[in-house]
Amino acid sequence: MKTLTIRRPDDWHLHLRDGAVLEAVLPHTTADFARAIVMPNLVPPVVTVSDALAYRERIMAAKPETDAFTPLMTLYLTENTDADDVEAGFRDGHVAAVKLYPAGATTNSQSGVRDIAKVQPVLERMAGIGMPLCVHGEVTDPSIDIFDREAVFIERVLQPLRERLPELKIVMEHVTTRNGVDYVKSAERNLAATLTTHHLIINRNAILAGGIRPHYYCLPVAKREEHRLALRAAATSGDRRFFLGTDSAPHLDPLKECACGCAGIFTAINTMACLAQVFEDEEALDRLEAFTSLNGPTFYGLPANEERITLVRHATPIAYPKSVYTADGPITVFNPMFPLHWEMEDHAVG
Ligand code: NCD
Ligand code: ZN
């Protein structure tokens, strides 16, 4: 049987939610991942260090006792964010990064930033202390086509921001376009990108061809095939500027299967199986570890995990659940639309 042993992976962009959903989804991440950058877009958002510490406690209380897992907390940047609070939280090791959501760009982003000039003092402080900014890189201008919002964000917001603050460490999260990949590759330092599992697998046809499929709808929305191919090339290249951020974003099924469904794809359960399959198909299994376990810690200035995990390739496709059941209802699991042969050795998927 073919196996692959790598350092235990981390997830550099994850939605864990709260309450019953947190309880149901968290064990699927802690089974496979050592650390995760935890998104702060709760309702209300995680804005202060004290919000982040309280949320961290709820995560630790929901965590299976036998799993060693470290949540890396983030703060939701608002136009009222206090630079002193951010700095103290970073210096004390309570928060790892700040998240910039342009107001209205995605799920629960109403309290995000409208005018980036207003957050300049916080960003300057972060640049001074080496604290990373995680960016949801899409403009919200309704006159910009939804498929172009990432490319326009780079031009209008990201490039000017990097010119103003070249010392600020920025993660362009869930990059979905060739433009995003090329932009990250053009930067020598202080810029990296996360790539999601699902954007390596689906293009926009998955959402729209043959019927509207809400479980493939997420933000940034999947783009054309040429973009998916650029993302796969970046992920499997070994380039240190690209690493895994699953953006696993669970929503209860009724909130997705309706007239105005929410954005988000739930991949926490089968991400490692999907990625091993993608890297095998690209003949790049030897670079999976860089993507899932090395490049992220390097950018964040953290040590790589010492512990190893083993992925096993089975001759017959593995089974994984179609849904996860929470006390509030079911959540559909990402279906990559191809058979998965890989499995984490010490845990049956699901
Ligand atoms: C995320 C969510 O549901 O919180 N949705 C998504 O489609 N990725 C928000 C986000 O990361 O954009
Ligand atoms: Zn996200």
Side-chain angles (χ1 to χ4, degrees), residues 196-238:
T196 76
T197 308
H198 49 278
H199 288 115
L200 301 178
I201 293 173
I202 60 164
N203 63 29
R204 62 195 199 177
N205 286 359
I207 316 165
L208 296 169
I212 186 155
R213 293 192 170 77
H215 296 293
Y216 293 108
Y217 173 61
C218 65
L219 287 170
V221 71
K223 309 295 192 298
R224 286 178 179 277
E225 179 64 359
E226 63 161 301
H227 297 291
R228 184 186 74 101
L229 295 177
L231 305 180
R232 277 171 85 105
T236 57
S237 67

Side-chain angles (χ1 to χ4, degrees), residues 13 15 17 41 101 106-107 136 174 218-219 247 249 251 263-264:
H13 178 134
H15 299 270
R17 315 302 192 204
N41 63 332
Y101 287 104
T106 187
T107 312
H136 183 110
H174 40 49
C218 65
L219 287 170
D247 196 15
H251 290 282

